[in-house]
């Protein structure tokens, strides 16, 4: 454990009994009360549904200050990485802790690009799915199936196999994601082209067809690369915690990432970019915004402004600012500068940022608010949005999974509960039941 002992203790008093628990510190961020011995000493659990006050692990990868709107990967601000770096450099940083030098970078790029093809049998595996299946459903299955195709990298106790599995997933996930897309529209799969950078290769695998030469658009490739950087990691969010929890049982890395993808699909998490765009389309025009704002504020209406609010950010999501700019760049490039959805989005954002309800609850646009419009303008259908998120987040999940496996204090994740069901009772014969 690298946590700092602060020398302080937190005192818990229940009735006439008191206990003390050590307060630990990290390098930045709130201190934590170490309650790992709480049950042993007091016979009580803590109760924290949704883990709003619980640090589930010690980590060195990503830091968020939600009140200030700060996001750091290994200490580097997201704005700087998105402005000056590329996605594979970010992957290296997240996995190894430092930015690569030139040799390390070219070696890493080489290793990733030499793993981009998937087992040819994978193509046959796709045939089992309906063409109209949701791409996320197919992604969960395909990534889970990688353990059947690459069984030689599933021994998690072997550091070499862990590394090979990590490289394989970062390299193959764009190929699989593009295959998922091509399968859904009935077009032939496109093999990766290793001379291209990560984002360009993905765009080509998605949008090229055998009968035409594909012309890469560097503005779109750069924008996509930036979108990948923005989504690469986000500390202990729901899908990452899912990956860690699945991995804590010793499950193989491909299965853990499949679990993360399944969790990410939910509309409160990665599915929000799809939901946000659908909402913008439903609103349709600027004059209908007040009606939707009213619904979002109505306690009796389950409608929420998708793309607004965040569990951690109680300030402007720093990724949303970069996403907004990327959105403008892409729309200008593809000639959609006057896209009515963009007008609705900008006006909705303006109104919500000044509305008392949203101001008081600190509900700001999150990254999903502008990413949907951007991806749509690039040519992706809404059903692919969360797939792109999963593609980019894979490196974060892998980094967090590796950190957990390499942590000597790692144990199986096993939360407890506050039981409110029936206490012990005796079985009643069916003839005697009312
Ligand atoms: N629209 C309207 N009201 C909202 C919204 C919203 N988008 N988000 C939160 N609120 C309100 C809630 O009704 C609640 O009001 P109350 O205190 O009067 O009951 C209050 O704000 C707090 O909301 P919670 O749901 O308790 O906040 P929580 O931290 O649990 O939820 C979440 C965060 C899930 C992101 C939520 O804001 C939401 O559902 N947003 C829309 C979906 C979305 O955009 N998700 C993307 C998240 S980012 C990501 O995964 C990349």
């Amino acid at each position: 454990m690298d946590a700092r002992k602060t020398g302080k203790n937190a005192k818990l008093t229940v009735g006439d009994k008191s206990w003390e628990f050590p307060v630990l510190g990290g390098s930045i961020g709130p201190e934590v009360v170490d309650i790992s011995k709480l049950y042993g000493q007091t016979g009580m659990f803590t109760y924290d549904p949704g883990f709003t006050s619980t640090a589930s692990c010690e980590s060195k990868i990503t830091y968020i200050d939600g009140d200030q709107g700060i996001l750091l990967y290994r200490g580097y601000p997201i704005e700087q990485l998105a402005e000056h770096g590329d996605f594979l450099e970010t992957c290296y940083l997240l996995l190894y802790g430092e930015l690569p030098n030139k040799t390390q970078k070219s070696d890493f790029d080489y290793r990733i690009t030499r793993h981009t093809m998937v087992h040819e049998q994978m193509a046959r595996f796709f045939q089992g799915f309906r063409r109209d299946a949701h791409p996320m459903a197919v992604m969960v299955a395909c990534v889970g199936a990688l353990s059947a195709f690459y069984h030689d990298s599933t021994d998690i106790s072997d550091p070499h196999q862990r590394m090979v599995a990590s490289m394989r997933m970062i390299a193959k996930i764009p190929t699989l994601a593009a295959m998922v897309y091509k399968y859904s529209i009935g077009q032939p799969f496109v093999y990766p082209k290793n001379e291209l950078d990560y984002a360009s290769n993905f765009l080509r695998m998605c949008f090229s067809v055998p009968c035409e030469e594909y012309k890469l658009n560097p503005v779109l490739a750069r924008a996509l690369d930036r979108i990948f950087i923005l989504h690469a990691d986000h500390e202990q969010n729901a899908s990452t915690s899912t990956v860690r929890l699945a991995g804590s049982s010793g499950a193989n890395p491909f299965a853990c990432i499949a679990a993360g993808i399944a969790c990410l699909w939910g509309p409160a998490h990665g599915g929000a970019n799809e939901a946000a765009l659908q909402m913008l389309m439903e609103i349709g025009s600027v004059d209908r915004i007040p009606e939707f704002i009213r619904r979002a504020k109505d306690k009796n209406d389950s409608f929420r402004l998708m793309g607004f609010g965040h569990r951690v950010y109680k300030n402007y999501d720093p990724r949303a600012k970069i996403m907004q700019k990327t959105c403008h760049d892409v729309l200008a490039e593809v000639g959609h500068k006057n896209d009515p959805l963009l007008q609705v989005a900008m006006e909705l954002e303006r109104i919500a940022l000044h509305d008392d309800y949203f101001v008081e609850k600190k509900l700001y646009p999150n990254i999903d608010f502008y990413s949907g419009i951007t991806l749509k303008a690039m040519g992706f259908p809404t059903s692919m949005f969360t797939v792109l998120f999963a593609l980019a987040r894979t490196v974060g999940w892998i980094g967090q999974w590796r950190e957990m496996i390499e942590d000597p204090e790692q144990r199986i994740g096993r939360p407890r509960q506050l039981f409110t069901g029936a206490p012990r009772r005796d079985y009643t014969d069916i003839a005697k039941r009312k």
Side-chain angles (χ1 to χ4, degrees):
M1 194 202 256
D2 291 324
R4 184 171 40 86
K5 290 195 173 77
T6 61
K8 294 183 273 188
N9 285 325
K11 195 169 175 180
L12 172 71
T13 304
V14 180
D16 55 1
K17 280 192 176 162
S18 289
W19 299 268
E20 295 213 337
F21 298 94
V23 174
L24 306 176
S27 41
I28 34 174
E31 293 176 337
V32 302
V33 182
D34 176 1
I35 53 151
S36 52
K37 299 205 166 49
L38 181 92
Y39 179 58
Q41 293 184 10
T42 68
M44 283 184 289
F45 299 136
T46 53
Y47 179 62
D48 183 18
F51 309 116
T52 50
S53 302
T54 298
S56 62
C57 62
E58 191 183 310
S59 181
K60 294 182 169 55
I61 303 177
T62 293
Y63 175 77
I64 304 173
D65 183 329
D67 295 325
Q68 302 292 322
I70 291 170
L71 170 60
L72 311 175
Y73 292 165
R74 300 281 190 183
Y76 294 101
I78 189 68
E79 295 85 350
Q80 293 180 20
L81 293 168
E83 180 71 25
H84 306 296
D86 70 31
F87 179 65
L88 284 187
E89 182 182 59
T90 300
C91 291
Y92 186 100
L93 174 69
L94 289 169
L95 292 178
Y96 299 108
E98 295 298 334
L99 285 168
N101 62 28
K102 266 192 177 160
T103 320
Q104 290 163 333
K105 173 74 166 66
S106 58
D107 176 58
F108 185 73
D109 288 4
Y110 181 86
R111 282 190 291 155
I112 294 293
T113 41
R114 288 322 178 265
H115 273 115
T116 47
M117 287 209 319
V118 292
H119 195 292
E120 196 57 21
Q121 195 65 19
M122 266 319 261
R124 240 72 72 215
F125 184 69
F126 274 84
Q127 309 299 320
F129 293 101
R130 288 169 53 139
R131 295 260 176 195
D132 61 354
H134 194 288
M136 280 299 273
V138 185
M139 273 308 273
V140 175
C142 288
V143 173
L146 287 177
S147 50
F149 287 94
Y150 302 100
H151 195 68
D152 60 343
S153 53
T154 52
D155 178 0
I156 61 152
S157 63
D158 177 353
H160 177 69
Q161 291 199 29
R162 287 202 298 270
M163 197 272 290
V164 175
S166 307
M167 293 293 159
R168 279 182 168 154
M169 276 188 279
I170 296 168
K172 292 182 199 309
I173 208 107
T175 313
L176 285 178
M179 288 170 87
V180 166
Y181 173 56
K182 286 297 198 190
Y183 187 75
S184 73
I185 54 170
Q187 287 187 2
F189 296 143
V190 177
Y191 287 101
K193 204 169 184 146
N194 289 350
E195 72 196 40
L196 295 177
D197 64 79
Y198 197 83
S200 302
N201 186 35
F202 180 64
L203 283 173
R204 185 182 161 276
M205 286 192 289
C206 286
F207 298 123
S208 74
V209 284
C211 43
E212 269 174 28
E213 206 46 52
Y214 180 69
K215 266 210 184 135
L216 267 168
N217 181 326
V219 175
L220 300 194
R222 178 72 187 113
L224 190 61
D225 194 73
R226 200 164 268 170
I227 293 173
F228 291 162
I229 295 174
L230 298 181
H231 286 86
D233 194 45
H234 214 226
E235 53 117 313
Q236 310 311 320
N237 55 82
S239 56
T240 302
S241 298
T242 301
V243 170
R244 279 188 177 254
L245 197 60
S248 76
S249 75
N252 76 68
F254 304 107
C256 296
I257 302 305
I261 296 176
C263 176
L264 185 77
W265 191 7
H269 193 5
N273 52 13
E274 191 176 336
L277 188 77
Q278 270 156 4
M279 178 194 74
L280 292 175
M281 290 194 288
E282 199 188 330
I283 298 176
S285 60
V286 168
D287 55 304
R288 294 192 64 208
I289 292 175
E291 174 195 336
F292 284 84
I293 296 266
R294 199 168 46 247
R295 284 188 59 198
K297 296 195 296 195
D298 183 352
K299 278 246 164 269
N300 301 316
D301 190 329
S302 61
F303 174 79
R304 283 187 169 197
L305 276 193
M306 300 313 283
F308 271 78
H310 198 276
R311 168 59 61 80
V312 180
Y313 292 116
K314 302 302 169 196
N315 200 325
Y316 214 109
D317 178 342
R319 302 168 303 169
K321 281 189 197 152
I322 308 167
M323 200 61 240
Q324 188 196 48
K325 184 180 173 306
T326 306
C327 180
H328 284 282
D329 293 349
V330 168
L331 264 62
E333 180 65 20
V334 298
H336 290 187
K337 239 186 348 204
N338 299 322
D339 186 334
L341 290 185
L342 183 65
Q343 312 300 328
V344 174
M346 281 166 42
E347 184 59 10
L348 186 63
E349 178 180 357
R350 194 191 63 76
I351 295 178
L353 288 177
H354 292 95
D355 187 291
D356 285 351
Y357 174 92
F358 292 89
V359 173
E360 273 160 27
K361 294 189 189 301
K362 300 187 175 163
L363 297 168
Y364 293 87
N366 58 48
I367 186 169
D368 294 316
F369 190 61
Y370 280 103
S371 65
I373 313 174
T374 315
L375 296 175
K376 178 174 175 280
M378 284 182 172
F380 290 104
T382 45
S383 58
M384 278 296 289
F385 293 177
T386 319
V387 171
L388 271 87
F389 190 162
L391 185 168
R393 182 57 57 85
T394 294
V395 63
W397 290 328
I398 291 169
Q400 301 271 351
W401 169 81
R402 280 165 49 128
E403 184 177 68
M404 180 200 65
I405 299 290
E406 284 158 21
D407 180 351
E409 293 191 19
Q410 187 265 322
R411 304 166 73 189
I412 187 166
R414 176 56 171 93
R416 306 304 291 252
Q417 64 176 4
L418 172 62
F419 183 70
T420 52
R424 187 196 180 284
R425 48 187 170 162
D426 288 325
Y427 181 83
T428 325
D429 192 89
I430 193 162
K432 293 186 183 151
R433 287 179 220 157
K434 287 181 197 149

